[in-house]
Amino acid sequence: MNKKHRLRLSFGFTLLLITLMVIVSGCGKTATPTPQTTETPKPANPNIILATTTSTQDSGLLEVLIPEFEKKTGYKVQTIAVGTGAALAMGEKGDADVLLVHAPDSEKKLVDNKAAINYQLVMHNDFVIVGPSTDPAKVKETKTVVDAFKGIAASSSIFVTRGDDSGTDKMEKALWTKASVKPAADKYQSTGQGMGQTLTIASEKAAYTLTDRATYLATKKNLKLDILLEGETSLLNIYHVMQVNPEKFPKVNADGAKAFVDFMINADTQKLIADFGKDKYGQPLFFADAGK
C-alpha cells in the first residue's frame, strides 16, 4: 500500500469518527419544549351586556367580580346598573344578555314567559331600616317592620323612598301595604335614584329609609344614619342571575350570558362573594347561596 493510499484511509477514518461523535453528542441532548400559551382564547362575540341592580355596583361587589370574570373568560362586560324593575324590563325586551337582580316575584314572571332561562340562585343579604340617631319615630323600640312603619307614619318624620321600581322599592311598597299605612304626602319623598344617592338624601334630611345592608355599609362613613331595625325574616334580600332567552331574542350573546351565569355560581366566585367586605367592614356584605 503506497503512502498516498494510507493517507486517504486515515482521513476517511478520522471523518467517520468525528461524524459518530456528533451523532452521539446530539442523542444526549433533550429537545427544548415548545412554549405553551395560557392566554384565554378570545370569544367570537366578546361583548356582553349585564343589567343589574344598583346595590351590586354601589356596594363595590362588581368591582371585584367583573375583572375576574373578564380575565378568566375573555369577555368584556358592559354593566348597566339600574333598579331591578328597569333591569327586568331590559330583559323582557332583549336589550340585555344577562340579568343579576333581587326581586324574586317579578323575576319569576320572566322565567314563566320564557324571556329568561338558566335561572340561578346566587346570594342574599338583608334589608334594614335606617334613620337619624335621634330616632324621633322610636323605630328602635319596635320589634317588627309593621310596627316600625306605623311609627314612622304616625310621626312628623320624613321617609325617603327610591320610587324607581327597584327590588328595594318593590320591597318597601310591599311593607307599607302590609302595615296598612303610609306617611302623609309631604312626608313621603321620592328620589327616583339608586340606593347610594337615596341614602345620601335621607342623611341630609335626617329621614328614614329602607336599604340593603351592603350599600349602607359601603357608604356608611359618609352618612348620618344608623341601623334602627334589622333581622326580621321578611327583610331577606335574595339575588338571582339569569340569561335572556336567545330563542326569543336571537341577537343576545347567548354564549357570553351562559359564561357569566356559570361564573356567578362557580365555587371560586361564591367564595369571593362570601368573603367580600370581611376585611373592610368586619362582616360579609353578601352570603353565597349557589346550589342551595
Side-chain angles (χ1 to χ4, degrees):
M1 183 181 294
N2 60 36
K3 185 177 181 181
K4 184 183 289 187
H5 188 59
R6 286 199 302 272
L7 286 173
R8 284 178 179 174
L9 287 174
S10 176
F11 177 76
F13 179 76
T14 302
L15 184 61
L16 177 62
L17 183 62
I18 292 171
T19 302
L20 287 172
M21 289 176 66
V22 170
I23 292 172
V24 171
S25 175
C27 290
K29 291 183 179 179
T30 303
T32 303
T34 304
Q36 298 295 316
T37 178
T38 58
E39 185 178 346
T40 303
K42 188 174 182 180
N45 181 2
N47 301 309
I48 66 172
I49 298 174
L50 166 67
T52 186
T53 175
T54 61
S55 60
T56 57
Q57 180 165 280
D58 290 345
S59 65
L61 179 64
L62 291 184
E63 293 178 13
V64 173
L65 298 186
I66 296 298
E68 190 69 17
F69 169 72
E70 293 180 338
K71 182 176 69 175
K72 285 187 174 181
T73 65
Y75 286 101
K76 294 296 180 183
V77 180
Q78 179 186 350
T79 301
I80 301 177
V82 288
T84 286
L88 292 173
M90 289 181 66
E92 282 188 304
K93 296 174 184 175
D95 291 336
D97 301 308
V98 63
L99 312 176
L100 177 61
V101 286
H102 64 138
D105 289 343
S106 298
E107 296 159 11
K108 191 173 183 300
K109 295 175 184 176
L110 267 72
V111 177
D112 289 345
N113 67 21
K114 308 298 183 184
I117 59 172
N118 199 10
Y119 183 57
Q120 302 286 344
L121 176 64
V122 175
M123 61 192 181
H124 78 273
N125 61 10
D126 62 342
F127 293 107
V128 295
I129 297 177
V130 298
S133 58
T134 54
D135 191 18
K138 308 299 181 186
V139 169
K140 205 164 187 177
E141 296 177 12
T142 63
K143 295 184 178 180
T144 67
V145 176
V146 166
D147 289 341
F149 273 33
K150 285 180 176 179
I152 293 170
S155 73
S156 59
S157 305
I158 295 172
F159 188 96
V160 175
T161 176
R162 284 178 60 167
D164 62 350
D165 198 36
S166 61
T168 305
D169 187 59
K170 291 175 185 292
M171 170 63 79
E172 180 228 305
K173 299 295 192 295
L175 292 173
W176 283 117
T177 299
K178 188 176 179 180
S180 300
V181 292
K182 197 172 182 179
D186 62 329
K187 300 297 181 183
Y188 188 66
Q189 300 180 9
S190 178
T191 67
Q193 301 291 320
M195 198 68 254
Q197 297 95 320
T198 297
L199 281 166
T200 298
I201 292 169
S203 180
E204 291 170 351
K205 293 178 176 288
Y208 294 92
T209 194
L210 182 77
T211 177
D212 67 283
R213 186 185 296 270
T215 306
Y216 170 74
L217 290 176
T219 57
K220 180 182 176 182
K221 64 181 181 180
N222 300 317
L223 304 173
K224 295 179 180 178
L225 298 171
D226 293 343
I227 294 178
L228 301 174
L229 190 139
E230 60 184 324
E232 190 172 324
T233 303
S234 63
L235 294 176
L236 194 64
N237 184 26
I238 301 170
Y239 291 78
H240 290 88
V241 66
M242 68 194 91
Q243 289 179 243
V244 176
N245 191 350
E247 292 186 4
K248 196 166 185 176
F249 305 102
K251 292 183 179 180
V252 303
N253 188 341
D255 291 341
K258 183 180 185 303
F260 188 82
V261 172
D262 290 346
F263 170 79
M264 289 299 295
I265 62 176
N266 178 271
D268 292 339
T269 308
Q270 288 284 291
K271 187 175 189 311
L272 286 176
I273 291 170
D275 291 341
F276 178 68
K278 285 182 179 179
D279 56 343
K280 191 171 183 179
Y281 306 107
Q283 59 181 294
L285 271 61
F286 298 91
F287 296 88
D289 290 329
K292 294 183 181 178

